[in-house]
Each structure stands twice: as structure tokens, then as C-alpha cells.
Amino acid sequence: MLNNQGRPTVAEKTDSPVGSIETFTGNRGLQIEEPLLFEVGSLDNCGVDLAEMPKHKNRLGVMARDSDIGLAGLSEPETMRHYVRLSQKNYSIDTGFYPLGSCTMKHNPRLNEKMARLPGFGNIHPLQPQKTVQGAFELMGDLSHWLMRLTGTNAVALSPKAGAHGELCGMMAIKAAHKAAGSKRNIVLVPDSAHGTNPATAALIGYKVRSIPASDDGSVSVESVLEVLDDDVAALMLTNPNTGGVFEKDIKKIADAIHKAGAYFYCDGANLNALMGRARPGDFGIDAMHINLHKTFSTPHGGGGPGAGPVVFSDALAPYAPLPYLRRDGDSWHMVETREGIEDDSHVPFGRMVAFHGQMGMFVRALTYMMSHGSDGLRQACTDAVLNANYLRASLQDIMSLPFGERKCMHEVLFDDSFLKGTDVTTLDFAKAIIDEGFHPMTIYFPLVVQGAMLMEPTETESREALDQFIGTVRNLVSRAKAGDVDYFKNAPVLAPRRRMDETKAARKPVLRWSEGMEG
Amino acid sequence: MSQTYYSKDHEYIILEDKVATIGITDYAQKQLGDIVFVELPEAGAELEQGGEAAVVESVKAASEVYAPISGTVTEVNPDIEADPSIVNQSAETGAWFLKMEVNNVDDLDGLMDEDAYKSYVEGLE
Amino acid sequence: MRYLPLTDEDRKVMLAKIGVDSADELFSDIPDGMHLDSPPDLPMKATEMAVDQALSRMAAKNVDAGSVPFFVGCGAYRHHVPATVDHLIQRSEFLTAYTPYQPEIAQGTLQVLFEFQTQVAMLLGMDVANASMYDGSTGCTEAVLMAQRVKRGKKRAVLSGGLHPQYRDVVQNQANFGDTDLVTMPPAPDGNEDILAQLDDKTSCVVVQYPDFYGHVRDYSKLAEQVQAKGALLVIVVTEIISLGALKSPGDMGADIVVAEGQSIGNGLNFGGPYVGLFATRQKFVRQMPGRLCGLSDDADGKRGFVLTLSTREQHIRREKATSNICTNSGLCTLAFSIHMSLLGEKGLRELSGLNHALASNLADKLEALDGIELLNETFFNEFTIRVKEKKAVDVVDALVDKGVIAGVPVSRLLPGEQDLDDLIVIAVTELNSEQDMDALPKALGEIVNA
């Protein structure tokens, strides 16, 4: 007797109306809609059990709380679901290719995470007695050593909290040095192609920004610097390789000219991934440069931080490096935390950037990454990053458009939108169509010096197969755009957790928090 | 009797006696896209020709509006602060930014009339 | 190298596609004389096992806070972080995502930020909060700068003597380089000072801490009125965010800007960072705020979703006219904060803060009973200041370490050279202090002060 019970094991082929199905829940299979925490939680729900409060004398005084805060709580299983469902609405490096130019989205090794969580690193307090944290100082000392060796410098300040904070630290050292020399220079030169943080940083400490126009090939020439260089200039801020992914060939000449004019050279180190192990910024004549540990040295981006922005200094600026800093005393380490603790009179720190000593959690991760690669591995990583970017360039330049001609790039490649001319498809539309294909789009509309910029940075942790898949997809999309299928692009994305968002509405009537009875 | 002038920064100036009503042109509002916020000076503020008078923001850009002439602000338009979208809808027909008492009417000499502005804009496109 | 997917064969094929013979040619834009011919003089690559062992050895040289009776605070606090928090923040989709610049594929991060902003605004008692600053100290600087923007042209800012000394130093540093006329009040270990006397008509803000650095719970309601009557803003700084479960919020007192260190919720000690700065203000000042903001909107199908908004305040659009140069903030730490806060909820937070206060109060009783110890506080939350009469605080804290107890921060470590502060120790207690800990400290301290 044949048994015909049980589930069918072959999928029946039907015409699938993908995208048009409306489910009762609004959920789409694995994509589950998740309400706001305040719509599912309550004041009474709680996912933490605590010991009972012992008898005590209340010493809160008149300020003791006498009303509810309004915070919604969830039990542990509800919490787990809420955040797992939310996580599934995010694209990440671990999901797929993430060629976001200027952001260095490389693989984040999990050994880094494990090391940062060792109780000896993760569970020590910044103000516990120094003799109980010698291992932490040793780690900071080692990290400093690696950073100085890789950049060809002799001093580093670890404390800045992120890239922009590092810029601020470097520029403060420059201003302090000018002040010490009695100079009242008030201009900082910034190329048009710079990250927005550069002019914002200069302005924050009272400098006026004078812009340097880009040359025809997108780089900064020594001539264009000389044109705007005078006795009022305190510093030049320059990114190298620049934000178009091109090495600034004149860099040494520019540095010399800047120094000759009595100014300092601040280098934005956001793109160090293109140099590490192959060239040292110290040899270019930089005076200060921040290093984004969350880019080059793989500490996770975490949806927007935390970062870390240690700054290396030339010998000229080293004396002004901020508090706190490490000093080796025989066999032990000492953290100099206040001016009173300074023993060497030649050190005149400009001040303090932050409470405590900086992003220790990021230091551990970055050093773990460096030790894993080693000097040879870092050099290879840099080489592969540049190789991958050039491979993208070589594979796409015939159908996309390079704003500055067919030339080699460093770790990232910049296209403009002229290949879309006449199609009515914009850079934004093109990026949104890439989302539907399962990739994260490249950086768009930055740098501002080219029309409709598309900046791709693949990093070294992408395989050839991953690159080929992306290249094939982009080529297909270009063909589709040129074939006039404009609606396809204007509608994109249709397969992401959300379609295009109304940013105008968000900005005109900003709703920045949940409140009882809120619409939407 | 009023007369309308235009600046190269795409502002219009309607002069009536010594009081100028200033706003941005329809061309400017189109270039900016959806306007989401307008920051205006306070009444009584003294503006200098070429100095910052207001800020217009779209989602992706913030643009300064420079005072086309020197003078004292007498009134600002509360409607566009409350609902900036009316700048998109009626830039030159109601969505004025501010009124000011002009220090020196001769300042207006360097500005364009309607025809000159029209051909100026055509040259930009 | 285990993190590099390209094989030699891949490299060969790719170089051929590019049209160069060797990878070195790709670096030909780097001028002669600046190429390194070989890797820099540093150790070569290492196995996962070797790195793990080397770093574990280093970590073992530190005394971690969980291994001894531990009572250190002053802006960083050892609290229990539920296992759920650390598991969830290591979800790939949170950990390895970038700033949510493509909202269609970043709704997870964005919704978390919206919920975080709501939690922070509620807790601080304010209308709106941003998506975080680096930490409390840098947030404090940003608050002073923001107050100057709100009060155009007013350059003076007055910092209370009850403000964390390192926060004061960070603000002072910015003031030295910027355009702020900063007045810093002398240290106020007894919780009394006359700030109002320092206000003039050019003052944009007054900055006070709650509970203050020495632990005093000061009522700033009246001060808020007085400061505002003089045309300035009141900035309230909170370094122990858990205190707000037991205390009225800064917003209740009428603060205009509130800055807090959020580390205590969801984030470990980490030797000082990464932490998470909380920043909140009144609705009317929102456009002068620094940092990212997440807002509600709809997508093309009318479905609710979230986007980064009011970006024209920020550096990537406004450049030198931005409200701040901040870009990367404390993304993952905000997530940890928000998850822990969801687990706690109203009920859990109130209980947790009650527990902290109860334990601290009981320890204060025990220490106060010792000969040679004076308690400076009438009010406090989970941190208070003691005077070790006729001893130096540094020596006492050092001697405690030798007895296996890590307790307190000598005020002189942060404020050296002020003689009348040399005998002050700030002691913090949290829910992680066991009954044994609560006995160990009085015992050890008693032996030291009476030796």
C-alpha cells in the first residue's frame, strides 16, 4: 500500500507576484515589522531581577523622585525579539559588500571583540590606582609604538575619541605652537574636496577657512597652494590620498612650501589604509595626523561609532601634545594626568581633550588587529585594498565615467554621473537600485568637487568573486539606465525593508521622540 | 509707487519709499528644492550690504541669504517661519522674508531690473 | 593571512585586468624616496592563538574591578550589564553597519536611535535628545558652545566648583582656543558656592553637576530661575545616570540643556572609553544642537520609518558653519544603553537606583562610625566624600590596594596642589558591591587611619 500522506517536497512553480502581495500582518516572511519599544513595553514590565533593597537611612533629601519617568520596560524574551527583529532591517559588512567610499568598511575580526572583553581590559576603571593597571598602560604603549612606526613619527596622543576629535586635537597643537611663538596667524587652508569635518574643526578653534580650488585632475597642486599661501596662514589641512582616491603627488613640495611659510601641515589620516606598510606620512612632512582606528584598524563602526582618533605628531609639535600621556619610569608605566605631574619641562601640553584616557576598548581591538596582521600582513592588506579598488576601476571605467581620466587610483575609486547624462537617472536613483540588488551603495555626492559623485572603496577584505558579482550587477544597471528604464530606478528600492523615505517631511515638522498618542 | 530690483544672489527687492521688501526669486526656490526651514533676523537688526541676512535650508543644503542693501530690519515674515513650504509655492508672490528701511537708496543702483535678471538667469541655465 | 581573501592567482588575474605587471606599479604616484621597500620594523603576522595569549598576559597584569572589593566612581561606574545586552550588540547587523546614511537598509539602527532619543529625553526630563556625543566631558563642552550660539554674542560661561575636574579641564581647553570667557569657581567639596555672583549680562550659561562631583544632591530649581532671569541658560551635567531613577530630573528643575555620561547603563568600565554622551535640550533650541538627530517620517508607500534629519546643522553639509565638528558618535554604546534601559524599564531603573542608594547609605554609616573619618555629605546618591583626617588621601588609597581593596579616588589626583583637598576621598557604591565588600572596606580603612 503506498503512503501518500505527508508534506509535498517539491515546490510547485507558480507565477509569483513578488512585491504586490499584501499580508495581514504587514510582515513579509523573515522581514517582521516591529513596533516602537513604547508601543510594546509598559511601566511594569521588567527584564532584570534585582536583590531586595536593604533597610537604610534615606539621604536623597528634597530631590527624591516623586513621579514616574515614563520608561517602557520589556521582559528578557521580548527584548531579545525586539532587537533581533530590528537588527534584521540593517545592512552590514557581515551581510555583504559595503563599498562605502571614505569609510573603509573592512571585515571586523571577532578576536578583537574577545580581547576587548577580557576582564583585565574591559572591567578596569580609569581612576583606579595606576599600579593596578600596568597591563593597560603596556597595551597603550604598544599601540603607540605601532602607530608611530607605521606613520614614521615620534609622538602620539591616544585620547581623542574619533576622527573629528583627533583633527581638533591636532589643530589645537598647531594653534598652541603658533601661540608659543607669538604668532597670530588666523587662516587655515582647506581644499574644496576635504571632509566637512576639516573646515568645521578649524572654525571651532577660531580659524578662518580659506579654500584651495582643486586642479583639473582633482588633486591639489603646489602652485594652487602657493597662490593662497601668505603670512596669515597657520596651517594646511589636507587628506592624502585625497577624497577622490588619488595620491597627492606634490605632497612633499606642498609640505615644504607650508613649512617655509611658517605654517604647519595637518594631514587628515582617514585614508591611511592606502598607505600602511608601504609609505609613511612622516616622510611626507606632516606635522599632525589623526588615525581613525575604526577605519584602518578594523574596530567596528557600530552603526555610527564609537571610533577612536589617536593623533601622531612631528617633533615640532610633540611638546604640545595634550594630557594625559604615558611615561616610562624604569620598569613601570606612569600616566601623566595633570600639569603638576609633568617632569620634563620641554613638554608643554596644550590641555585636555577628554575626561580619562581615551577609547581603551578601541585600543585593544586595534592592537589585536595589528598584531594579527603583523607588519607584513598590514602591508599586504594595504596592497590588496589598492588592488581591489583598481580592479573595480578597470572593470567599470568603460561604462561609467571617471572625472579625471583613466588613471590609477589608490584604495578607492571616484566616478561622476556623466555616464548617466540624458537618462534622467540620478546618482541617487542609481544607488537605490543597487540596494535592491543586495549590495550597500557606494558613497554618493561626496566629494563635492565632482558632479553626482560615486565613491567606491572595496577594502582588502573582499574576494574577487564578491567584486565580480558587484561589477556584473553595476554593468547590468548601467545598461538598464541607458536603455531608458527610468521608472525602475525612480521606484527603487522596492525590496528593502523600507522604500524611499520622505526626508522633507522629517525636516519640516521634526518628530524626534515618541510621545503618548503620537501619530504615525 | 514701487519698483522691483533683483540681485545676482537671486533676491528680489521691492522698494516702496524707503522700505524694501526682500525675498528670494522663484528661480532660487527651484534650485534649492523643498525648503524645510528659514532662519530670519530679528526686527531691529541692522544689516550691511553683503552681510548675512537669513538662512534658507532644504533637506540637503543650507544657503545664506545676503542683504542686497544696507538698512534696518523693520519686520520679518512669520508665515514662512511657521510653514517654509510656502516659499516653494509662492516665492515672489507672498513668501517675502523681511522688510527693511534702506539706509541709502543709491545702494540699489548696482542691482538688476526684471528684464536684466531674466536674461541673467537664462545665462545660467 | 586569515583576513585576506585574495589568492595569488586572484592577484595575478586582477593585475592583468588592470594592465600592470606588479602591485608595486599601483603605488607609482607616491614620489620616489617615500616608498618602503619592505614592511616596517614591527613584528610579523601572528596566529589567533598567539595574539590571544599575548594580550591575555597583558590583561592579567591589571586588577579587574570584579576581582576585589571595588568602590571607584567619579564619572565611571561599575554596574551589572545583563548578558542580553552584550549578546545583542554583537549582532553583525548592529556591530558592522555604518552610520545610517541609506535609511531603507538601516531602519534597525534608526529605530534604535529614535527609541534612544526618547529614553534619554524622558530620563533627563527634557523635550528632545540627540543621537549621542562621545561622552559626558565632550558633551559638556558642546553644551557651553551651544549656549553661546543660543545667546548670540554672550561669551561668558560659569562652571561650578562641583563640576568633575576633568570635565572642567576639557571645557577650559576649548575655551582657551575658542571664543569663550570662562569663569571656573573654586572646588566646592562642601556643596556650597555663590555662583550667581559671577553672572553678568554677557553670561550665556552656568554649568552645574547633579549630583555634584563630591556627591551632594543639590536642588538647582531656584538657580535655574535666577540664571534665566539674568538672560542665561542653565546647563546641568549628570555623571551617574542611574541616579535619575531615584532623583527628580534636571528638566524638573528647569534646566535648559542637560548633558550626561550614559556609561552606567549598558556599558562597561573599559578603562575610560568608549562611553556615551547624552545630550538633551528644550524644543525651541533644537536647531542649535550639535550631533546627529533621528526623526520620524514615511516611506514612498506611506509606511512609518526613520531618517537622520536636520542634517544642515552638521559638518558634512554646513562645513565651517556647522554647530559642531562631530561625525562619528557613540553608535554601539547608544544601542547598549537602549537595550539595558528597555530591560530595566521604569520598574527596574527605580529599583536599581534604590538599591544603589541604600547600599551607599549603609556604607556611609559604617565609614562615618570610624575614628578619623569624616563624612562631608548630608545628601548623596551612590557616591560621597570622606575626609581622612591628618592623612593624605593618596597614601590611604594606596594602602587600601595593599590590603586588597580598591576604593575611592583621592580628590588630589584630579585637583593636585590644593592643600585643603589633600585628605578627601570620593567613594562610590553600586549594586555589585557584596556584603563582604561592605565589610572589607571599613575594616581595611579603619586599620589604615588608626595605624
Side-chain angles (χ1 to χ4, degrees):
Chain A
M1 186 73 179
L2 288 171
N3 184 354
N4 64 354
Q5 296 302 301
R7 62 192 170 90
T9 53
V10 177
E12 273 182 59
K13 289 211 166 88
T14 58
D15 291 335
S16 150
V18 179
S20 64
I21 294 176
E22 291 286 337
T23 58
F24 296 114
T25 51
N27 300 338
R28 302 178 76 78
L30 276 179
Q31 264 303 327
I32 296 179
E33 292 294 311
E34 183 60 15
L36 284 165
L37 162 67
F38 310 93
E39 295 161 342
V40 287
S42 73
L43 294 193
D44 307 321
N45 223 327
C46 183
V48 178
D49 293 322
L50 289 159
E52 239 169 81
M53 187 159 75
K55 272 198 196 141
H56 65 282
K57 185 168 128 198
N58 189 316
R59 311 200 208 208
L60 297 170
V62 295
M63 297 312 293
R65 177 170 279 285
D66 53 9
S67 62
D68 283 343
I69 303 162
L71 292 163
L74 296 172
S75 65
E76 183 174 310
E78 292 169 299
T79 303
M80 199 59 95
R81 282 213 182 128
H82 182 68
Y83 289 99
V84 168
R85 287 171 177 178
L86 289 181
S87 77
Q88 290 173 328
K89 299 177 195 305
N90 271 4
Y91 198 89
S92 70
I93 305 172
D94 290 349
T95 313
F97 188 45
Y98 213 128
L100 205 54
S102 216
C103 302
T104 315
M105 300 298 284
K106 61 170 71 177
H107 169 63
N108 301 147
R110 291 314 193 273
L111 179 65
N112 303 358
E113 297 302 308
K114 183 181 172 194
M115 294 300 98
R117 285 169 172 80
L118 291 171
F121 293 138
N123 198 23
I124 51 175
H125 191 288
L127 294 177
Q128 71 186 68
Q130 294 203 357
K131 63 181 176 182
T132 65
V133 287
Q134 288 294 307
F137 292 153
E138 185 182 337
L139 180 131
M140 293 165 85
D142 281 7
L143 177 71
S144 302
H145 178 73
W146 279 80
L147 294 176
M148 291 187 292
R149 275 286 156 87
L150 286 171
T151 55
T153 53
N154 298 315
V156 60
L158 291 181
S159 65
K161 291 267 179 180
H165 204 227
E167 287 176 27
L168 186 61
C169 174
M171 292 304 292
M172 282 175 164
I174 287 172
K175 195 164 183 181
H178 278 305
K179 217 169 170 180
S183 141
K184 290 210 167 15
R185 293 163 180 253
N186 66 340
I187 302 284
V188 171
L189 304 181
V190 181
D192 290 339
S193 59
H195 295 112
T197 50
N198 292 177
T201 298
L204 201 49
I205 56 172
Y207 280 128
K208 289 197 166 55
V209 174
R210 187 183 288 168
S211 73
I212 311 169
S215 322
D216 293 343
D217 66 350
S219 56
V220 174
S221 67
V222 67
E223 290 79 20
S224 59
V225 171
L226 285 173
E227 221 162 275
V228 288
L229 185 60
D230 59 29
D231 288 348
D232 292 330
V233 172
L236 162 75
M237 297 182 87
L238 189 66
T239 308
N240 191 33
N242 66 26
T243 56
V246 174
F247 190 90
E248 296 287 6
K249 278 188 180 169
D250 281 357
I251 187 137
K252 189 71 176 71
K253 286 183 218 153
I254 292 171
D256 290 345
I258 288 290
H259 289 150
K260 202 173 151 203
Y264 291 95
F265 175 15
Y266 185 87
C267 185
D268 182 324
N271 296 338
L272 186 62
N273 209 42
L275 302 175
M276 64 174 179
R278 299 208 63 116
R280 302 183 306 172
D283 297 337
F284 311 156
I286 63 150
D287 289 299
M289 182 182 83
H290 73 267
I291 299 162
N292 305 76
L293 297 185
H294 50 292
K295 293 181 179 174
T296 312
F297 299 112
S298 85
T299 77
H301 282 82
V311 181
V312 291
F313 290 107
S314 65
D315 295 345
L317 289 184
Y320 304 98
L323 293 163
Y325 62 89
L326 274 177
R327 188 175 68 212
R328 193 92 168 112
D329 284 343
D331 285 343
S332 64
W333 293 94
H334 180 71
M335 181 70 82
V336 179
E337 295 174 327
T338 58
R339 290 186 201 282
E340 286 76 2
I342 298 170
E343 286 183 353
D344 175 1
D345 288 346
S346 68
H347 195 186
V348 282
F350 66 71
R352 173 180 274 279
M353 296 296 296
V354 68
F356 314 130
H357 332 300
Q359 307 283 68
M360 179 66 172
M362 303 297 117
F363 302 160
V364 181
R365 289 170 175 89
L367 184 64
T368 305
Y369 175 88
M370 291 176 179
M371 289 169 69
S372 297
H373 277 79
S375 183
D376 50 342
L378 292 177
R379 183 179 166 94
Q380 187 65 54
C382 165
T383 308
D384 284 358
V386 173
L387 178 60
N388 277 355
N390 277 288
Y391 184 66
L392 277 187
R393 174 184 57 77
S395 306
L396 292 171
Q397 65 187 17
D398 60 321
I399 49 154
M400 292 178 74
S401 37
L402 294 166
F404 306 121
E406 293 187 8
R407 54 180 291 181
K408 286 189 290 284
C409 61
M410 297 294 282
H411 64 302
E412 58 191 349
V413 54
L414 175 64
F415 295 100
D416 66 16
D417 65 1
S418 51
F419 74 96
L420 291 172
K421 209 167 183 184
T423 63
D424 273 345
V425 175
T426 63
T427 290
L428 182 74
D429 300 332
F430 198 76
K432 298 301 184 192
I434 288 177
I435 290 177
D436 274 340
E437 299 291 344
F439 303 102
H440 195 285
M442 56 277 154
T443 291
I444 51 176
Y445 300 107
F446 179 84
L448 309 171
V449 289
V450 306
Q451 192 73 36
M454 302 182 204
L455 184 63
M456 298 178 184
E457 181 181 8
T459 84
E460 70 280 8
T461 58
E462 293 302 327
S463 66
R464 177 153 69 100
E465 291 73 23
L467 297 177
D468 283 340
Q469 203 190 22
F470 179 72
I471 290 163
T473 307
V474 170
R475 294 189 71 90
N476 283 330
L477 287 173
V478 174
S479 304
R480 178 175 272 164
K482 287 184 173 165
D485 196 353
V486 183
D487 286 352
Y488 182 87
F489 289 90
K490 295 290 174 200
N491 279 326
V494 295
L495 301 174
R498 281 291 178 275
R499 301 203 38 221
R500 280 192 218 184
M501 298 297 305
D502 186 347
E503 294 185 52
T504 301
K505 179 183 168 182
R508 274 190 183 153
K509 297 264 176 252
V511 177
L512 305 173
R513 60 175 286 186
W514 174 86
S515 50
E516 195 78 51
M518 187 182 84
E519 285 176 43
Chain B
M1 178 63 198
S2 75
Q3 189 155 7
T4 306
Y5 301 85
Y6 296 86
S7 78
K8 286 191 170 171
D9 294 326
H10 306 285
E11 292 126 341
Y12 62 81
I13 302 98
I14 304 169
L15 189 71
E16 250 178 319
D17 295 328
K18 283 203 80 178
V19 176
T21 302
I22 297 168
I24 64 170
T25 64
D26 198 49
Y27 173 83
Q29 90 42 41
K30 275 196 194 122
Q31 290 293 309
L32 289 165
D34 289 344
I35 291 167
V36 298
F37 182 68
V38 182
E39 187 185 318
L40 298 172
E42 282 171 25
E46 290 186 14
L47 302 180
E48 269 195 40
Q49 188 170 23
E52 190 181 311
V55 180
V56 201
E57 292 185 13
S58 66
V59 173
K60 292 200 163 48
S63 309
E64 278 78 28
V65 175
Y66 299 103
I69 35 175
S70 303
T72 307
V73 178
T74 54
E75 196 182 342
V76 297
N77 187 349
D79 297 346
I80 64 167
E81 281 187 298
D83 181 7
S85 68
I86 62 174
V87 179
N88 289 119
Q89 291 151 18
S90 53
E92 297 185 42
T93 54
W96 56 275
F97 279 38
L98 54 98
K99 293 180 197 271
M100 61 194 271
E101 200 171 299
V102 180
N103 289 351
N104 185 356
V105 180
D106 295 344
D107 283 355
L108 293 156
D109 287 351
L111 300 170
M112 292 172 272
D113 64 14
E114 191 173 350
D115 287 344
Y117 180 68
K118 221 170 141 187
S119 49
Y120 169 68
V121 166
E122 275 165 12
L124 295 175
E125 279 169 348
Chain C
M1 209 285 135
R2 60 189 176 276
Y3 303 139
L4 301 177
L6 297 186
T7 63
D8 285 342
E9 175 62 19
D10 287 332
R11 294 184 181 113
K12 227 163 80 188
V13 173
M14 293 164 75
L15 287 169
K17 172 78 191 174
I18 295 163
V20 293
D21 293 329
S22 78
D24 288 347
E25 285 181 46
L26 299 174
F27 293 86
S28 60
D29 277 358
I30 301 180
D32 289 342
M34 284 186 222
H35 287 273
L36 297 179
D37 297 330
S38 56
D41 181 19
L42 286 161
M44 295 293 135
K45 64 174 170 282
T47 63
E48 180 159 331
M49 291 139 282
V51 176
D52 191 329
Q53 283 161 3
L55 285 165
S56 296
R57 270 197 301 275
M58 243 182 247
K61 292 180 190 170
N62 300 322
V63 182
D64 84 77
S67 62
V68 289
F70 194 88
F71 299 91
V72 185
C74 288
Y77 301 87
R78 182 176 72 114
H79 289 288
H80 174 68
V81 178
T84 307
V85 175
D86 201 41
H87 171 82
L88 284 169
I89 67 166
Q90 290 192 76
R91 289 276 309 186
S92 287
E93 302 91 330
F94 287 133
L95 186 75
T96 75
Y98 194 69
T99 305
Y101 286 140
Q102 296 288 344
E104 300 89 347
I105 45 173
Q107 285 297 306
T109 296
L110 285 162
Q111 185 168 332
V112 168
L113 289 179
F114 189 79
E115 293 175 355
F116 169 82
Q117 288 172 187
T118 308
Q119 288 170 323
V120 172
M122 284 178 168
L123 197 53
L124 302 181
M126 303 300 283
D127 299 332
V128 286
N130 74 9
S132 80
M133 311 304 295
Y134 306 130
D135 74 342
S137 68
T138 53
C140 189
T141 306
E142 293 278 10
V144 170
L145 294 174
M146 174 174 153
Q148 270 183 261
R149 288 193 295 275
V150 171
K151 300 286 175 190
R152 290 178 201 184
K154 295 191 175 183
K155 306 253 158 99
R156 177 175 274 210
V158 184
L159 305 187
S160 155
L163 182 66
H164 192 299
Q166 290 189 340
Y167 283 44
R168 182 203 64 185
D169 291 349
V170 175
V171 178
Q172 180 73 62
N173 182 50
Q174 172 62 38
N176 290 346
F177 287 101
D179 197 15
T180 308
D181 161 26
L182 195 70
V183 178
T184 56
M185 304 288 288
D190 59 357
N192 291 316
E193 60 187 345
D194 183 10
I195 293 191
L196 270 190
Q198 297 299 324
L199 258 68
D200 63 11
D201 57 0
K202 292 271 183 262
T203 304
S204 59
C205 70
V206 168
V207 182
V208 295
Q209 185 175 321
Y210 173 77
D212 74 13
F213 175 71
Y214 303 93
H216 306 285
V217 182
R218 293 155 70 174
D219 180 357
Y220 297 118
S221 315
K222 199 151 193 187
L223 182 68
E225 281 172 28
Q226 290 163 328
V227 166
Q228 285 151 2
K230 291 220 171 202
L233 303 183
L234 181 67
V235 177
I236 296 186
V237 176
V238 180
T239 62
E240 170 53 303
I241 191 69
I242 285 179
S243 66
L244 299 187
L247 298 173
K248 288 178 190 163
S249 73
D252 290 340
M253 289 186 275
D256 297 291
I257 303 173
V258 184
V259 174
E261 174 52 68
Q263 171 268 330
S264 283
I265 296 182
N267 289 276
L269 287 172
N270 288 317
F271 202 48
Y275 289 172
V276 48
L278 315 181
F279 196 106
T281 188
R282 305 270 171 218
Q283 183 71 41
K284 60 182 172 186
F285 301 137
V286 68
R287 285 183 182 270
Q288 296 301 336
M289 260 185 135
R292 290 183 189 129
L293 285 166
C294 171
L296 181 84
S297 192
D298 303 323
D299 78 352
D301 289 335
K303 285 189 190 162
R304 180 171 80 180
F306 305 90
V307 291
L308 291 180
T309 192
L310 304 185
S311 310
T312 43
R313 300 163 300 112
E314 293 182 67
Q315 46 76 26
H316 61 277
I317 291 176
R318 211 53 176 285
R319 298 175 82 85
E320 67 266 30
K321 290 188 175 165
T323 54
S324 166
N325 72 338
I326 192 169
C327 180
T328 292
N329 56 20
S330 295
L332 204 67
C333 304
T334 67
L335 176 67
F337 178 100
S338 203
I339 297 170
H340 191 187
M341 189 58 94
S342 313
L343 283 163
L344 287 166
E346 181 87 18
K347 181 168 173 282
L349 181 69
R350 303 281 286 267
E351 283 178 16
L352 177 62
S353 45
L355 186 57
N356 270 260
H357 178 61
L359 293 172
S361 182
N362 289 344
L363 184 71
D365 286 342
K366 290 186 187 184
L367 298 185
E368 211 177 0
L370 295 173
D371 281 343
I373 299 286
E374 181 195 342
L375 176 69
L376 265 58
N377 303 63
E378 270 179 40
T379 58
F380 59 86
F381 170 62
N382 68 350
E383 191 167 25
F384 51 80
T385 304
I386 57 169
R387 172 167 281 134
V388 286
K389 294 172 197 162
E390 289 158 33
K391 300 259 179 201
K392 279 205 181 318
V394 182
D395 300 336
V396 171
V397 169
D398 209 45
L400 282 168
V401 174
D402 297 337
K403 290 182 180 290
V405 176
I406 295 186
V409 176
V411 171
S412 59
R413 178 168 172 181
L414 304 178
L415 291 167
E418 307 243 10
Q419 243 175 26
D420 48 342
L421 305 176
D422 271 359
D423 54 359
L424 300 182
I425 303 177
V426 182
I427 305 246
V429 188
T430 74
E431 74 284 359
L432 284 172
N433 288 115
S434 66
E435 267 182 53
Q436 289 86 336
D437 294 352
M438 304 279 285
D439 291 336
L441 176 57
K443 181 169 176 286
L445 191 59
E447 289 166 10
I448 292 163
V449 291
N450 296 314

